[in-house]
Amino acid sequence: MSELSRRSGVPVPTIKFYLREGLLRPGRATASNQAEYEEEHLRRLRLVRALITLGGLSVAATREVLEAVGEPLGRYETLGVTHYALRSPVAAAPEGDGTDGSAAEVERLVERMGWTVTEQSPLRGALAAGLRALREVGADYGAEELVPYAELAAATARLDLDQLAGIEDRIDIAERALVLTVLMEPVLATLRRMAQENEAALRYAGQGGGAGG
């Protein structure tokens, strides 16, 4: 177990906790107080750690993902299970009396983009909640206004899935999807702000703006 801890970077007490919770199967016993762990244990341990630490999943939700990726699923289904297990960027909230229209704008956007997003996807409600929050501060975005952003998101998604080329193992696919989704989101947000700073400099630098100008 100490070797497994060294290679994975996961502390021994945490590994023992994962074993007790059934998130990691026991190693092959070699003595009364020793066990041998294989490469599969290392890979699964890294996935468990990513789900809980990066994805913010509970033990129960992590167990569900592990059970799902243990099934003979294809690449599409494996990615779906992994993505739906993650918390949405915006917490979905009820639309109230239905007069808000945000959910309808989401539906129009999905149709306009030709996207395959299931009716059960939690991301539909999350996007609607985000649009409602924008509207409350006077930024009214509908499907048409979102199309350019959606096109950029589609290009980013193609880049993301290109990173999965050649990977066949379901655990490796799930782990890579977690890394791309969770760790890349703050990187992408930072790049966007850097680009905004650059664009502002190109458009407005040198124009002045002081009260006495």
Side-chain angles (χ1 to χ4, degrees):
M1 186 175 294
S2 60
E3 177 66 11
L4 182 63
S5 174
R6 185 189 66 78
R7 294 186 62 191
S8 65
V10 179
V12 169
T14 302
I15 296 176
K16 290 181 177 179
F17 171 72
Y18 292 162
L19 286 167
R20 288 196 303 271
E21 293 295 328
L23 303 179
L24 191 67
R25 68 177 180 84
R28 183 175 63 85
T30 57
S32 59
N33 61 346
Q34 288 188 334
E36 184 178 84
Y37 295 91
E38 303 171 350
E39 195 68 24
E40 181 183 348
H41 287 93
L42 178 62
R43 290 168 50 246
R44 185 173 175 111
L45 178 57
R46 286 173 174 163
L47 177 57
V48 170
R49 188 66 162 173
L51 288 167
I52 293 177
T53 303
L54 302 180
L57 271 64
S58 66
V59 169
T62 298
R63 188 179 293 111
E64 290 180 7
V65 174
L66 293 173
E67 290 174 353
V69 299
E71 297 294 325
L73 301 175
R75 187 183 298 252
Y76 174 68
E77 291 80 4
T78 299
L79 288 171
V81 168
T82 304
H83 283 148
Y84 284 8
L86 295 174
R87 289 176 295 188
S88 298
V90 179
E95 194 175 354
D97 60 6
T99 60
D100 171 85
S102 295
E105 290 300 322
V106 172
E107 180 63 29
R108 279 193 281 272
L109 177 66
V110 170
E111 291 181 358
R112 171 70 183 273
M113 296 299 297
W115 283 351
T116 300
V117 181
T118 67
E119 294 293 337
Q120 296 75 32
S121 172
L123 297 177
R124 286 175 175 267
L127 181 55
L131 296 182
R132 287 195 291 278
L134 284 168
R135 185 172 292 124
E136 288 173 359
V137 297
D140 195 356
Y141 281 79
E144 291 303 314
E145 292 78 14
L146 288 176
V147 165
Y149 292 96
E151 290 173 343
L152 291 173
T156 302
R158 288 191 289 271
L159 290 173
D160 287 340
L161 294 194
D162 284 345
Q163 305 301 310
L164 301 178
I167 301 177
E168 300 298 333
D169 184 86
R170 292 187 297 275
I171 290 180
D172 288 345
I173 290 173
E175 183 179 19
R176 182 65 63 88
L178 281 167
V179 169
L180 288 171
T181 302
V182 178
L183 293 186
M184 278 299 290
E185 282 185 348
V187 172
L188 293 174
T190 303
L191 286 172
R192 182 188 183 194
R193 293 189 186 186
M194 292 172 69
Q196 287 176 346
E197 179 179 343
N198 174 71
E199 188 66 22
L202 292 174
R203 295 190 186 199
Y204 309 125
Q207 291 185 9

